[in-house]
Amino acid sequence: SLAPTAITCFTRGLDLRKGTEDVLCPANCPLWQFYVFGDGVYASLSSICGAAIHRGVITNAGGAVRVQTLPGQENYPAVNANGIQSQALARWASSFSVTHTKNTVLEAVGRSVSTARPSTGKRPKKPLDKKAGNKDCKADIAFLIDGSYNIGQRRFNLQKNFVGKVAVMLGIGTEGPHVGVVQASEHPKIEFYLKNFTAAKEVLFAIKELGFRGGNSNTGKALKHTAQKFFSLENGARKGIPKIIVVFLDGWPSDDIEEAGIVAREFGVNVFIVSVAKPTTEELGMVQDISFVDKAVCRNNGFFSYQMPTWFGTTKYVKPLVQKLCSHEQMLCSKTCYNSVNIGFLIDGSSSVGDSNFRLVLEFISNVAKAFEISDIGSKIAAVQFTYDQHAEFSFTDYTTKEKVLSAIRNIRYMSGGTATGDAISFMTRNVFGPMKDGPNKNFLVVLTDGQSYDDVRGPAAAAQKAGITVFSVGVAWAPLDDLKDMASEPRESHTFFTREFTGLEQMVPDIIRGICKDFLDSKQ
């Protein structure tokens, strides 16, 4: 059997030439950048390695995969599996499936890989560049420790020991995790920030020096304060790296923690709760809200809560907690392009479009919107239809679920009339994006038109871009290329799209989604 062909993280099914091919996926692909469409049978524009991880054929450690080319189909479903959210696609011309390769190939790979790096039995002791730290665990972490009378001085010291062990095992360093500590008591106190120390030794010393404050635990107050104040760039937070708060709770919180959890999610912070000594049956009457853990964590899926019976003998709990904190792809509350953008669609409703083509335009918009996580704290969608006039179909704040947005798009009625694209862009910048300009999301405008505008588009598009809106122009049929380029953001080539027929819009969906995500990531670097 032939050795498998090495491919990159982003090689797609349609890049392969043979009907069946064995390939070798690299290790440590960035999961959040994968584009995968479908489940089991994947549209050929999906990443092969992404599909293989999604299917469970390999993990993020890479490995050999057998790829089988299949005919195209309709309705590829969106499914979340193994840390990857695949996306739905209405139809695509070809597909593929992924399976394990035959054993002989795996053995060959196993040998070639294991000669390339030391066997895991006894690793040479010095692979970690001490200063750089653990590069596989990039995270900005705030340890929110309990400094209340509830825990007392003795258990407070045991808590410090545990946090110190976690900090050391994380592999703190300039290019690895950075940590800081906040103490929850009557009033929260930020003990040290992410930027203060980048070596484990220094962090350990700073933790040892922490004094016990006492007072009520007021965990909710401390969590809210940490989410709002701790992760600023001037305090050492890094762009595009997961923000995590690990809340240590002895017993139960003395104040409301639910609102603080919502604030943390709005700020893109992943909250973990480590609860020690759960309230006993007799104590439950004193707890304001017995489901306090579920309400504060990033997601109530079991991953973000962690329990220890007491503060004694906690060493065995260090490693599993560190593994969670380093699972980049599980940080569901981090800001990603899917949950942190506002996309406004500007739809040409002029008489040259016609009713049946207008339906194809709406289908295109739905397929783009579908890829994003729409919610009150996530991504938002707005739509304006224009002729000589503009009609705001719905604004960013009208609908906060994907179902409602898709239903609103389906219900848009075709206007018919002239084409004043420039005026429409100005309307959109002022009335639709205006109210969102200080919000946390990045703003995108997708202009769809099928003809020449009667007014100037260059000025209004430049004003939109100056207001922080990234513009994609999508032209169909008679839309002049010069107009499309004049409207599009830089680099113009990657923000301008054109198709001769309305049926060609569908093929552009993945490219628009990818373009939005690329711009989002670039803005975070």
Side-chain angles (χ1 to χ4, degrees):
S1 57
L2 289 168
T5 315
I7 59 172
T8 73
C9 298
F10 303 111
T11 305
R12 299 170 301 177
L14 48 80
D15 299 327
L16 297 188
R17 293 284 164 262
K18 299 177 196 153
T20 304
E21 196 162 340
D22 290 337
V23 298
L24 186 59
C25 287
N28 301 324
C29 288
L31 295 197
W32 67 97
Q33 287 181 15
F34 277 138
Y35 290 93
V36 177
F37 300 86
D39 178 37
V41 173
Y42 300 95
S44 63
L45 100 165
S46 307
S47 146
I48 294 169
C49 300
I53 293 172
H54 184 265
R55 194 76 183 133
V57 173
I58 57 170
T59 64
N60 207 18
V65 178
R66 175 156 293 178
V67 185
Q68 176 83 44
T69 306
L70 301 169
Q73 64 169 48
E74 297 195 342
N75 299 326
Y76 295 89
V79 174
N80 195 328
N82 300 316
I84 293 180
Q85 172 66 58
S86 76
Q87 295 168 50
L89 193 60
R91 72 180 74 83
W92 195 252
S94 57
S95 317
F96 66 88
S97 65
V98 283
T99 51
H100 296 281
T101 55
K102 295 280 183 287
N103 286 351
T104 50
V105 179
L106 267 175
E107 278 163 21
V109 174
R111 267 205 303 281
S112 63
V113 171
S114 62
T115 51
R117 51 168 106 96
S119 81
T120 47
K122 273 272 177 280
R123 282 234 290 295
K125 249 310 178 224
K126 261 310 248 169
L128 197 67
D129 169 359
K130 259 304 192 3
K131 234 168 118 66
N134 179 6
K135 294 180 191 172
D136 292 338
C137 180
K138 275 192 165 41
D140 285 344
I141 304 170
F143 291 115
L144 178 52
I145 61 172
D146 189 340
S148 67
Y149 289 138
N150 215 10
I151 190 170
Q153 178 77 57
R154 182 175 179 216
R155 294 203 303 259
F156 179 76
N157 289 339
L158 292 170
Q159 174 183 229
K160 289 200 309 187
N161 289 346
F162 179 74
V163 173
K165 285 177 188 163
V166 171
V168 169
M169 190 174 251
L170 278 167
I172 295 163
T174 49
E175 293 171 59
H178 291 180
V179 306
V181 170
V182 181
Q183 187 172 168
S185 55
E186 202 64 48
H187 302 293
K189 180 181 182 219
I190 295 177
E191 301 283 2
F192 58 89
Y193 286 104
L194 297 163
K195 66 175 182 191
N196 294 133
F197 311 109
T198 52
K201 271 213 311 279
E202 300 167 343
V203 169
L204 209 51
F205 184 74
I207 290 171
K208 282 208 171 81
E209 292 297 293
L210 296 177
F212 173 61
R213 293 174 66 80
N216 278 323
S217 65
N218 290 341
T219 311
K221 183 175 171 183
L223 176 55
K224 191 171 168 183
H225 179 76
T226 309
Q228 289 171 325
K229 302 278 189 288
F230 183 85
F231 294 101
S232 64
L233 294 174
E234 55 271 28
N235 289 331
R238 296 167 288 178
K239 280 186 171 178
I241 283 182
K243 303 180 179 70
I244 298 171
I245 299 177
V246 184
V247 180
F248 290 94
L249 243 178
D250 187 288
W252 61 90
S254 59
D255 62 347
D256 174 44
I257 196 169
E258 183 175 8
E259 191 211 339
I262 293 169
V263 170
R265 290 192 284 278
E266 282 174 349
F267 275 85
V269 176
N270 298 276
V271 175
F272 283 79
I273 292 207
V274 177
S275 48
V276 183
K278 277 198 329 196
T280 61
T281 328
E282 300 79 68
E283 292 169 332
L284 277 177
M286 298 150 74
V287 181
Q288 280 184 31
D289 182 351
I290 48 178
S291 58
F292 64 84
V293 171
D294 296 347
K295 289 183 177 164
V297 288
C298 160
R299 285 279 194 290
N300 178 14
N301 60 2
F303 181 76
F304 294 93
S305 47
Y306 196 65
Q307 276 177 3
M308 302 195 296
T310 85
W311 286 111
F312 297 94
T314 54
T315 307
K316 63 173 176 293
Y317 295 100
V318 173
K319 191 176 177 188
L321 179 59
V322 168
Q323 283 169 334
K324 283 183 183 239
L325 299 181
C326 292
S327 299
H328 207 142
E329 69 284 359
Q330 303 271 6
M331 300 301 163
L332 301 175
C333 288
S334 296
K335 295 288 187 199
T336 68
C337 70
Y338 297 114
N339 65 17
S340 308
V341 295
N342 300 324
I343 307 171
F345 291 99
L346 190 53
I347 311 161
D348 185 342
S350 62
S351 26
S352 51
V353 175
D355 210 27
S356 60
N357 285 334
F358 191 73
R359 293 284 122 209
L360 291 172
V361 171
L362 297 185
E363 196 175 309
F364 165 80
I365 292 170
S366 293
N367 283 336
V368 173
K370 234 181 245 173
F372 294 88
E373 292 164 31
I374 299 162
S375 74
D376 52 344
I377 60 167
S379 291
K380 295 175 177 58
I381 307 287
V384 169
Q385 185 178 174
F386 71 97
T387 55
Y388 284 137
D389 266 336
Q390 303 86 32
H391 179 251
E393 300 290 351
F394 55 92
S395 77
F396 287 121
T397 50
D398 285 347
Y399 303 110
T400 54
T401 69
K402 191 177 293 191
E403 289 64 41
K404 285 184 177 156
V405 165
L406 296 177
S407 155
I409 294 170
R410 275 196 301 275
N411 291 329
I412 293 175
R413 293 284 155 262
Y414 173 48
M415 283 161 61
S416 188
T419 313
T421 317
D423 255 2
I425 294 173
S426 301
F427 174 87
M428 196 100 186
T429 306
R430 191 174 56 247
N431 300 329
V432 180
F433 285 103
M436 310 303 285
K437 76 169 189 299
D438 297 324
N441 288 3
K442 187 162 168 53
N443 292 319
F444 291 89
L445 169 61
V446 180
V447 183
L448 291 118
T449 179
D450 82 325
Q452 175 92 48
S453 176
Y454 296 131
D455 59 0
D456 167 57
V457 294
R458 186 178 291 181
Q465 290 167 34
K466 200 168 173 196
I469 303 164
T470 302
V471 183
F472 285 88
S473 61
V474 179
V476 191
W478 308 108
L481 203 55
D482 288 348
D483 273 12
L484 297 175
K485 286 205 163 136
D486 283 345
M487 292 188 281
S489 288
E490 296 283 355
R492 296 209 158 120
E493 289 62 45
S494 58
H495 291 81
T496 308
F497 294 85
F498 178 80
T499 170
R500 189 52 71 208
E501 305 287 338
F502 280 89
T503 47
L505 283 172
E506 195 186 350
Q507 309 269 310
M508 294 178 182
V509 170
D511 295 325
I512 298 278
I513 296 166
R514 187 171 291 145
I516 289 171
C517 283
K518 184 181 184 316
D519 287 347
F520 176 84
L521 280 171
D522 290 348
S523 76
K524 291 284 167 221
Q525 292 314 313

